[in-house]
Amino acid sequence: MDDQVTIKDIAKQLNLSLSTVSRALRNAPDVNPETRHAVLELAEALSYTPSRLALSLKQRQTRTIGVIVPNLDNVLSTMIRGIDEAALESGYTVMVCQSNESYGRELANTKRLLESLVDGILVSVSSETKIFDHLQEILKRKLPMVQFDRSSSELKAPIVRVDNVSGGFQATEHLIQQGYRRIAILAGPKNLGIGKKRMKGYFEAHKVAKRKVDNDLIMYCDFSQESGYWATLDLLGMKKRPDAIFAISDRIAIGAMLAIREKGLQMPHDIGLLGFNNEPTVQLVTPAVSSVEMPSFELGKLACKLLIEKMQRHGVIPDDHEEILKTRLFVRPSSLRDSSTTLAPQRS
Amino acid sequence: MDDQVTIKDIAKQLNLSLSTVSRALRNAPDVNPETRHAVLELAEALSYTPSRLALSLKQRQTRTIGVIVPNLDNVLSTMIRGIDEAALESGYTVMVCQSNESYGRELANTKRLLESLVDGILVSVSSETKIFDHLQEILKRKLPMVQFDRSSSELKAPIVRVDNVSGGFQATEHLIQQGYRRIAILAGPKNLGIGKKRMKGYFEAHKVAKRKVDNDLIMYCDFSQESGYWATLDLLGMKKRPDAIFAISDRIAIGAMLAIREKGLQMPHDIGLLGFNNEPTVQLVTPAVSSVEMPSFELGKLACKLLIEKMQRHGVIPDDHEEILKTRLFVRPSSLRDSSTTLAPQRS
DNA sequence: TTGTAAGCGTTATCAT
DNA sequence: ATGATAACGCTTACAA
């Protein structure tokens, strides 16, 4: 196909041995300055590029990190930016595989990464994934792995995530403080850890405020806007409808907003609304929607750094290591009923 | 690091030669069924994974496609999904490098991909990139390359993009039909081809309608929401202010919307607004903003298919090949002043 | 300071 | 039907 320039070509033209050229190229100490100069010059002239393939095969490491994500939404894109940055800083290349929320694709991707001999893997588990065999296989091969954002306790690998319990607590506490009394939660898919944790915070906040939770106000749904919409219509159709809704993602919250609008209810007066992720969109709708922000960029960066540490200093990071980042609540008009409360600082 | 299971291990345990094992594994015709069976069984038991590295080195092809993108925004994420799908269908792996709109990063990424011996490259040029040396280098090495979405005529490589002139035309024509007379354009960065083309459509629509363009209504800006905001404030501060704004991206349009709101003007009555990309956000703001949609998923998929074709059948696709997809206008309340016009079909 | 040769995991060519 | 050997591009003892 393409005639790659190799060390051989340089050696031949300069009447040197392969080893000498190799050494010159890598600035080894024991090589004649003139020789080195000649080699470097010719390499430049031929626009020689070392073959990472050969190098990797030889050294049995690729300096590549595989990333498995369920999609490329706003939050994950930001995390990947963080991952990218950390990887670049340490001279690693990142290979992103996106499973489109499908178990089958995640399986295929994992296989690919395993074959490609990546040096380590960052994974955020697809919401659809219930079987972890393929990821267990990674561990079985002793390939360093770190979970980020969405994680599973079935996998014995370090986790970097936000404190979802605390995030759910912040959200619910705020709603309670605003005088809302029947706070519903749109909790996402029933089996998803992230949802369970945010819901735990929701319960804790109620407990601290000495309030009971009405179990009818707990609604499971998909992660889609559609699903948030339908779940909310259900909620609003109840005889004793909720006076506030905490959605565990902004996407779901937007769906809820559409349903609320359709029913002609006013936010924040008739009903309060609060989401999670603080995506740009929630600032633009009317009224702007309150949301819990997670430090996505930092989270990605940290996860990657942790993985690199794990890769380079084998065994230093225990498998049950958890790195937990704080969330931050952004209060906006959708949940601000009590005018005596001041708005939290907003992003520009 | 990790003790990979190789063909050698299998050969040793079965007292076979490497070649036989290799053949058995690949279902070669001339191998004893019993032998094959034994090999396959042991391979399974040891969870043997072929080394793509060794294979690639041998065959001088990686079955990997490198993708260079300026960022991972909504549009590009969707395109990448399309790319992914096409690649998967043909058994290729995709390696996405995101330059974060920075020339330096794009340079580093290109170098990496070149070293990694990808079989082909899909590139969407960063808006900041003015020097194309690194991409020229790709061509110089005869590495198959296809440009998608944002492209440069300086690069002699096929292009897959939408018809931006026609998109700009659709947008402007619609605004004219709605009775707007002073239509401003937020044209993005001055040197960007995509902006120039959409603006060309803007001029053509005026010409067809036999209207003059007031050059004061042409505003250049960044691709950011911020920039759209400030540019719009400028526009609205003019003595003869525009009565409609066509923004060449939704991000910019949202910025414009914020400025319009701030000035207390009503859409679509006082001023019309229309964006480009049809991102989910524009449907959610009030009023919902009209936008020109480009078929991002299909575009990515097509670009990838074209690249694969170019890789597999060398020389069949000429370097000046252009694949041009149609845009589609979604009319929403932000630009719907004339109530006799019906709304175009919306997405669910 | 430079050269020789073995090896990374695989396949292809030629023998047997 | 199976085996031996060279090769892909590079590094690295060891030797000169």
Side-chain angles (χ1 to χ4, degrees):
Chain A
M1 193 72 85
D2 55 335
D3 18 51
Q4 227 209 314
V5 179
T6 80
I7 262 188
K8 227 180 195 166
D9 300 312
I10 300 182
K12 204 168 291 173
Q13 288 197 37
L14 259 39
N15 256 320
L16 288 170
S17 74
L18 298 182
S19 15
T20 309
V21 176
S22 168
R23 279 188 283 252
L25 249 17
R26 278 171 309 121
N27 286 319
D30 51 354
V31 52
N32 189 316
E34 287 176 32
T35 313
R36 158 176 308 135
H37 190 74
V39 169
L40 259 34
E41 199 153 351
L42 187 56
E44 175 71 31
L46 299 178
S47 65
Y48 161 81
T49 314
S51 159
R52 266 162 77 81
L53 230 48
L55 191 65
S56 299
L57 182 60
K58 178 77 192 163
Q59 311 191 150
R60 321 191 66 184
Q61 59 152 332
T62 52
R63 279 198 98 73
T64 299
I65 291 170
V67 181
I68 302 176
V69 292
N71 60 53
L72 287 177
D73 67 15
N74 209 283
V75 174
L76 280 168
S77 296
T78 310
M79 290 182 185
I80 289 175
R81 273 191 19 242
I83 291 173
D84 244 33
E85 183 158 305
L88 194 72
E89 281 171 9
S90 301
Y92 283 86
T93 304
V94 170
M95 205 160 154
V96 178
C97 292
Q98 158 257 343
S99 63
N100 222 352
E101 304 283 354
S102 127
Y103 171 69
R105 294 277 304 252
E106 191 170 300
L107 202 65
N109 285 337
T110 311
K111 216 175 131 200
R112 269 291 160 74
L113 289 179
L114 242 28
E115 290 175 0
S116 306
L117 286 187
V118 293
D119 293 347
I121 288 187
L122 286 169
V123 63
S124 193
V125 192
S126 154
S127 60
E128 205 196 75
T129 305
K130 275 136 207 146
I131 310 158
F132 296 96
D133 293 5
H134 55 305
L135 299 175
Q136 299 290 8
E137 177 69 24
I138 295 175
L139 295 174
K140 205 175 116 198
R141 301 210 185 180
K142 305 235 169 53
L143 196 58
M145 178 163 101
V146 166
Q147 308 185 69
F148 69 102
D149 194 26
R150 305 201 209 164
S151 57
S152 161
S153 54
E154 290 192 37
L155 295 172
K156 295 283 161 264
I159 295 175
V160 178
R161 58 172 179 83
V162 293
D163 188 340
N164 285 299
V165 178
S166 147
F169 185 93
Q170 288 175 321
T172 314
E173 183 189 39
H174 161 73
L175 291 172
I176 294 175
Q177 282 173 358
Q178 290 295 311
Y180 294 109
R181 287 298 163 260
R182 288 181 57 74
I183 302 171
I185 178 168
L186 295 176
K190 192 159 188 171
N191 63 322
L192 204 68
I194 223 170
K196 284 190 209 152
K197 291 206 167 122
R198 289 173 191 174
M199 185 149 62
K200 192 171 171 206
Y202 165 87
F203 276 103
E204 284 183 6
H206 278 86
K207 196 169 174 187
V208 166
K210 300 201 173 24
R211 300 197 191 286
K212 274 247 166 98
V213 171
D214 179 351
N215 282 321
D216 291 348
L217 297 178
I218 297 171
M219 283 290 240
Y220 296 98
C221 58
D222 276 354
F223 258 118
S224 68
Q225 180 177 312
E226 274 279 290
S227 183
Y229 171 82
W230 290 111
T232 304
L233 282 188
D234 279 0
L235 282 172
L236 300 182
M238 294 171 57
K239 20 185 195 323
K240 288 182 67 181
R241 70 158 175 82
D243 62 358
I245 296 178
F246 166 37
I248 66 144
S249 93
D250 284 341
R251 204 75 71 81
I252 298 173
I254 293 289
M257 186 195 74
L258 295 179
I260 291 170
R261 269 194 203 161
E262 193 174 301
K263 286 283 178 186
L265 297 174
Q266 294 301 315
M267 291 171 281
H269 181 264
D270 303 329
I271 189 159
L273 180 62
L274 199 156
F276 213 108
N277 283 353
N278 200 28
E279 290 189 24
T281 303
V282 296
Q283 307 183 40
L284 300 170
V285 295
T286 315
V289 176
S290 301
S291 192
V292 177
E293 180 182 70
M294 37 195 273
S296 308
F297 182 86
E298 292 74 18
L299 193 151
K301 191 163 177 180
L302 186 60
C304 189
K305 277 185 166 172
L306 197 70
L307 177 66
I308 291 176
E309 173 117 12
K310 195 171 167 60
M311 289 178 336
Q312 296 182 339
R313 305 168 57 189
H314 234 243
V316 176
I317 314 258
D319 285 340
D320 58 354
H321 184 87
E322 279 203 13
E323 203 82 57
I324 299 176
L325 303 183
K326 282 280 165 235
T327 55
R328 179 171 163 206
L329 175 64
F330 283 76
V331 176
R332 301 206 177 84
S334 76
S335 70
L336 201 61
R337 187 152 70 169
D338 175 1
S339 56
S340 72
T341 319
T342 41
L343 282 168
Q346 307 292 311
R347 284 196 294 189
S348 67
Chain B
M1 192 71 86
D2 55 334
D3 18 53
Q4 225 211 313
V5 178
T6 80
I7 268 188
K8 225 177 194 168
D9 300 312
I10 301 182
K12 204 169 290 174
Q13 288 197 38
L14 257 41
N15 255 322
L16 287 170
S17 74
L18 298 183
S19 354
T20 309
V21 176
S22 170
R23 278 188 284 252
L25 249 17
R26 279 170 307 125
N27 286 317
D30 50 353
V31 53
N32 190 316
E34 286 177 31
T35 314
R36 158 175 308 133
H37 190 75
V39 170
L40 257 34
E41 200 152 354
L42 186 56
E44 175 72 32
L46 299 177
S47 65
Y48 160 81
T49 313
S51 159
R52 266 164 73 81
L53 231 47
L55 195 63
S56 298
L57 182 61
K58 182 80 187 152
Q59 311 191 150
R60 323 192 62 182
Q61 60 149 332
T62 52
R63 279 199 97 75
T64 299
I65 291 170
V67 181
I68 302 177
V69 291
N71 60 54
L72 288 177
D73 67 15
N74 210 283
V75 174
L76 280 168
S77 296
T78 310
M79 290 183 186
I80 289 174
R81 274 194 15 247
I83 291 173
D84 245 35
E85 184 159 304
L88 194 74
E89 282 171 8
S90 301
Y92 283 85
T93 305
V94 172
M95 203 160 158
V96 179
C97 292
Q98 160 257 341
S99 63
N100 221 354
E101 304 283 354
S102 125
Y103 172 68
R105 293 278 303 254
E106 194 171 298
L107 202 65
N109 285 336
T110 311
K111 214 174 133 199
R112 268 293 160 73
L113 289 179
L114 243 26
E115 290 174 0
S116 306
L117 285 187
V118 293
D119 293 347
I121 288 188
L122 286 169
V123 62
S124 193
V125 192
S126 153
S127 60
E128 206 197 74
T129 304
K130 275 135 207 148
I131 310 160
F132 296 98
D133 293 7
H134 55 305
L135 299 175
Q136 299 291 8
E137 177 69 24
I138 296 175
L139 295 175
K140 205 176 117 196
R141 301 210 185 179
K142 305 238 170 55
L143 198 57
M145 177 164 103
V146 166
Q147 307 185 69
F148 68 102
D149 195 26
R150 305 201 210 164
S151 58
S152 160
S153 53
E154 291 192 36
L155 295 172
K156 295 283 161 263
I159 295 174
V160 179
R161 58 172 177 83
V162 293
D163 188 340
N164 285 297
V165 177
S166 146
F169 186 92
Q170 287 176 323
T172 314
E173 182 189 39
H174 161 73
L175 290 172
I176 292 175
Q177 282 173 358
Q178 290 295 310
Y180 293 109
R181 287 298 164 261
R182 288 181 58 72
I183 303 170
I185 178 167
L186 295 175
K190 192 160 189 176
N191 63 320
L192 205 70
I194 223 170
K196 285 189 211 156
K197 291 205 169 122
R198 289 173 192 173
M199 184 150 61
K200 191 171 171 206
Y202 165 87
F203 276 103
E204 284 184 6
H206 278 85
K207 196 168 172 187
V208 166
K210 300 204 176 18
R211 298 195 193 287
K212 274 247 165 95
V213 172
D214 178 351
N215 282 319
D216 290 350
L217 296 179
I218 297 171
M219 283 291 240
Y220 296 98
C221 58
D222 275 355
F223 258 120
S224 70
Q225 181 177 312
E226 274 278 292
S227 182
Y229 170 82
W230 291 111
T232 304
L233 282 189
D234 279 359
L235 283 173
L236 300 182
M238 294 171 57
K239 19 184 197 324
K240 288 183 67 180
R241 69 159 178 82
D243 62 358
I245 296 178
F246 165 37
I248 66 145
S249 94
D250 283 341
R251 204 76 70 80
I252 297 173
I254 293 290
M257 187 195 75
L258 295 179
I260 291 170
R261 268 194 202 159
E262 193 174 303
K263 286 286 178 181
L265 296 175
Q266 294 301 315
M267 291 171 284
H269 180 263
D270 304 328
I271 190 161
L273 180 62
L274 200 156
F276 212 107
N277 284 351
N278 201 28
E279 291 189 23
T281 303
V282 297
Q283 306 183 40
L284 301 169
V285 294
T286 316
V289 175
S290 303
S291 193
V292 177
E293 181 181 70
M294 37 196 269
S296 308
F297 182 86
E298 292 75 17
L299 194 152
K301 191 161 177 183
L302 186 59
C304 190
K305 278 185 165 172
L306 197 69
L307 177 66
I308 292 176
E309 172 115 13
K310 195 172 166 60
M311 288 178 338
Q312 295 183 339
R313 306 168 57 190
H314 233 244
V316 176
I317 314 258
D319 286 340
D320 58 353
H321 185 88
E322 280 203 13
E323 203 83 57
I324 299 176
L325 304 182
K326 282 278 163 236
T327 55
R328 179 170 163 205
L329 174 65
F330 283 76
V331 176
R332 301 205 177 85
S334 76
S335 69
L336 202 59
R337 188 152 71 169
D338 174 2
S339 56
S340 71
T341 318
T342 40
L343 282 169
Q346 307 291 312
R347 285 195 292 193
S348 66

